[in-house]
Amino acid sequence: MPNQPESDGPIIDLRSDTVTQPTDAMREAMMSAPLGDDIFSDDPTVNALQDRVADLFGMEAALFVPSGTMANQIAIRSHTEPGDEIICHHLSHIYLYEAGAPAAISGCSMRLLDGDRGMFTSDDVRAALRPVDQHFPISRLCVIENTQNRGGGSVWSESQIADVSRTARELGLKMHLDGARIMNACVASGTNVKDYAKHFDSATICFSKGLGAPVGSAVAGDMTFIDRARRFRKMFGGAMRQSGILAAAANHALDHHVDRLKVDHENAATLARRLSENPRIKVDPCETNIVYFDLEENAGTAPEMEAKLLRNNVRMLALGPQRLRAVTHLHITRDDIERAAAIILESIPK
Ligand SMILES: *Cc1c(COP(=O)(O)O)cnc(C)c1O
């Protein structure tokens, strides 16, 4: 069995920060949450979470939804009409990992930008804008992802975002923040969530990533936007009933799992540092909890390394012939990181 762990010990799972299990305290919070029927706006725990998220972003209202993908797609559908075009980076989650939903659900085309580590500038947005002419799609929405997942968990600074947003709004575009890991961005940059969010018309947050909840995301915006978003949430099948049991996990995560993200960032930085001790491993810059690295051609392939790690009870993802990814989260300790690094380093002679 080459692709199974060789012993029954605990697995160090670095495939993603979505693999976390709810902690005992989180489970207790879920079990004791007061519940209602959220489609009647009756669930006090959902209402409390939505008010809290709106407040966190400094926006008028927020909506609890089942996933980050649905949060983004509700936002896209709410801002656009079929035939509109979305401007975003070619590494963005909405383009790469949401099953073509902007085209399928909202009838939108996407204008893809280049730029280092998933980021772009106001000049890029200006150059991508379509002239007003019956031949062209209507440029409607610009989407920024912070942190940028495929860009290496990279962090936009507030001033980079302010620059893009100022221009985008001058050009008549709406601004959406894919904030699946916005708390990672805030912890890494020391920027307040509101200072990021004020540059956007809508924003999302995922509770099921590094924040450690089992399920759930939210989307925030002004009242008119949220009224429209609520309608599309229903249409997409994402309106839920006693969803307070899930919102309770999200509330618990916001109470207890934000400050500790810095531990994940330290662990990721340690892994990046260890791996770069070997010149045959090329490690991308690591800013938050995601580490991408490439093995040199003569240092074996990424799938071989993934299999070797798994035999040693460590899971990472091979994302290309030579490329691997490791993501830290609340179940990963400093010792786990040292162990994972040792397995990789001992199998690649310098
Ligand atoms: C994970 C993620 C999402 C949403 O993912 P779901 O699995 O649908 O919750 C959106 N954007 C980014 C950047 C992500 O990393």
Side-chain angles (χ1 to χ4, degrees):
M1 297 277 276
N3 284 326
Q4 292 296 322
E6 280 172 359
S7 74
D8 290 339
I11 304 278
I12 300 170
D13 196 343
L14 294 160
R15 287 174 302 169
S16 174
D17 50 8
T18 56
V19 302
T20 55
Q21 300 274 329
T23 60
D24 290 343
M26 181 179 279
R27 286 171 198 256
E28 273 167 37
M30 296 171 75
M31 292 304 286
S32 61
L35 305 176
D37 184 334
D38 182 55
I39 297 187
F40 294 115
S41 300
D42 256 7
D43 189 305
T45 309
V46 171
N47 291 341
L49 176 67
Q50 291 178 163
D51 289 349
R52 180 177 188 175
V53 170
D55 189 53
L56 187 71
F57 282 117
M59 290 180 168
E60 283 176 11
L63 202 59
F64 185 51
V65 300
S67 71
T69 298
M70 194 185 285
N72 281 332
Q73 296 307 323
I74 285 174
I76 288 170
R77 184 64 193 87
S78 299
H79 285 306
T80 63
E81 291 302 333
D84 287 351
E85 191 162 66
I86 299 164
I87 297 173
C88 64
H89 197 278
H90 72 90
L91 292 178
S92 58
H93 196 278
I94 58 163
Y95 175 63
L96 288 179
Y97 298 124
E98 300 192 8
I105 297 178
S106 296
C108 290
S109 56
M110 299 175 98
R111 186 78 190 262
L112 303 176
L113 305 181
D114 294 322
D116 202 28
R117 295 171 63 69
M119 293 184 264
F120 51 87
T121 65
S122 56
D123 287 344
D124 299 326
V125 174
R126 198 181 291 282
L129 192 85
R130 305 284 187 180
V132 176
D133 178 305
Q134 62 176 335
H135 293 86
F136 301 127
I138 296 172
S139 303
R140 183 76 67 189
L141 177 66
C142 174
V143 179
I144 282 178
E145 188 175 312
N146 196 19
T147 67
Q148 221 292 349
N149 180 345
R150 270 301 298 275
S154 49
V155 180
W156 288 72
S157 69
E158 196 212 326
S159 63
Q160 283 173 297
I161 288 180
D163 167 57
V164 167
S165 175
R166 197 178 311 112
T167 298
R169 285 171 158 173
E170 259 170 44
L171 300 173
L173 300 172
K174 296 281 186 193
M175 288 290 298
H176 173 69
L177 170 65
D178 178 350
R181 295 191 182 79
I182 189 62
M183 301 318 291
N184 294 83
C186 291
V187 166
S189 66
T191 306
N192 187 287
V193 197
K194 286 189 182 65
D195 288 328
Y196 278 132
K198 68 186 182 204
H199 302 289
F200 294 92
D201 300 290
S202 58
T204 66
I205 178 172
C206 284
F207 306 110
S208 58
K209 300 281 167 80
L211 294 178
V215 177
S217 288
V219 55
D222 68 20
M223 228 40 125
T224 313
F225 169 86
I226 290 295
D227 282 346
R228 214 167 135 78
R230 185 175 288 106
R231 184 169 181 78
F232 290 121
R233 181 181 68 170
K234 184 68 186 150
M235 197 184 284
F236 299 172
M240 299 177 286
R241 300 293 181 174
Q242 284 72 41
S243 37
I245 199 160
L246 301 173
N251 271 317
H252 181 86
L254 289 174
D255 285 336
H256 300 284
H257 294 170
V258 173
D259 290 343
R260 62 153 308 288
L261 291 173
K262 65 178 181 295
V263 175
D264 297 346
H265 298 177
E266 282 159 18
N267 283 336
T270 301
L271 180 63
R273 220 166 32 242
R274 285 281 177 281
L275 296 180
S276 37
E277 285 165 16
N278 189 320
R280 299 169 74 186
I281 306 175
K282 294 282 168 266
V283 186
D284 286 9
C286 169
E287 296 176 55
T288 53
N289 69 328
I290 304 180
V291 184
Y292 284 94
F293 58 99
D294 293 283
L295 308 179
E296 258 184 21
E297 300 267 336
N298 55 6
T301 69
E304 283 163 6
M305 183 60 78
E306 181 185 283
K308 169 162 192 194
L309 285 161
L310 184 57
R311 287 195 298 276
N312 288 280
N313 288 2
V314 177
R315 306 194 87 159
M316 287 187 193
L317 283 184
L319 292 177
Q322 303 302 128
R323 194 161 176 78
L324 289 122
R325 185 184 84 170
V327 185
T328 58
H329 53 76
L330 82 170
H331 299 329
I332 299 299
T333 64
R334 176 65 182 258
D335 282 353
D336 295 337
I337 289 297
E338 296 294 352
R339 190 173 139 68
I343 294 164
I344 295 173
L345 291 172
E346 79 195 10
S347 66
I348 305 179
K350 281 193 193 175

